[in-house]
Amino acid sequence: MVEVTVTPQSSLADRPVQIRVRGLSPSQLVTLRAWLKDEQGECFQSRAFFRADGAGEVDPGLHAALGGSYSGVWPMGLFWFLQPDSLFRRLVKRDVAGSPFRVRLEVLDGLSLGAEPKEQPLASCEAERWYVGPGVQRVPVREGRVRGALFLPP
């Protein structure tokens, strides 16, 4: 049985996570796909192609991506290379304190190039990426022409 995990499952957006896929056949070719919908409902996604090691595992922190949105060893590549499905869109988090980005990770058999995979994923999981830690207070700043926010630790 194929399993994909993200550790920790919930983390701050600037903290690294570890992605691991287990239960594959040795040398199996798979696509790891990450996608999310932003607050306006726009889809952003990335993908990377990997060949499982002799134990049937894939770890983007150890194994090089063979292609896709990036190539080489990038432990956080699936998060860093998220691209919009629509042109001229940027991934921006407006409600930084109220909710996280929920990034869906999927393992697909073989090379999957389409925007929407036609087959069911072998495994999937979800990672929460928060922009403000627990207990942090957000104070709006308006002074003359200056606009911003001050984030105070608990």
Side-chain angles (χ1 to χ4, degrees), residues 23-45:
L24 300 167
S25 300
S27 299
Q28 182 176 353
L29 193 60
V30 294
T31 301
L32 265 62
R33 176 179 178 243
W35 64 274
L36 65 85
K37 289 202 177 196
D38 71 2
E39 294 156 328
Q40 280 73 45
E42 285 293 323
C43 188
F44 291 76
Q45 63 180 310

Side-chain angles (χ1 to χ4, degrees), residues 7 11 22 24 30 89 112 124 132 144 150:
T7 308
S11 63
R22 293 183 179 95
L24 300 167
V30 294
R89 295 291 202 180
S112 177
S124 64
V132 174
L150 173 64

Side-chain angles (χ1 to χ4, degrees), residues 62-114:
L62 299 174
H63 303 119
L66 305 174
S69 301
Y70 65 96
S71 60
V73 179
W74 292 80
M76 294 294 295
L78 289 168
F79 294 92
W80 292 341
F81 291 96
L82 287 165
Q83 294 294 315
D85 284 353
S86 305
L87 294 176
F88 310 113
R89 295 291 202 180
R90 287 188 315 142
L91 186 57
V92 176
K93 184 73 173 132
R94 303 255 184 245
D95 180 18
V96 294
S99 65
F101 271 141
R102 286 176 168 55
V103 182
R104 189 91 180 145
L105 294 162
E106 298 174 340
V107 181
L108 304 161
D109 191 26
L111 299 178
S112 177
L113 300 171

Side-chain angles (χ1 to χ4, degrees), residues 115-136:
E116 289 293 324
K118 300 196 182 350
E119 73 277 0
Q120 288 292 322
L122 299 173
S124 64
C125 70
E126 189 173 87
E128 291 182 349
R129 303 294 282 170
W130 290 88
Y131 281 77
V132 174
V136 172

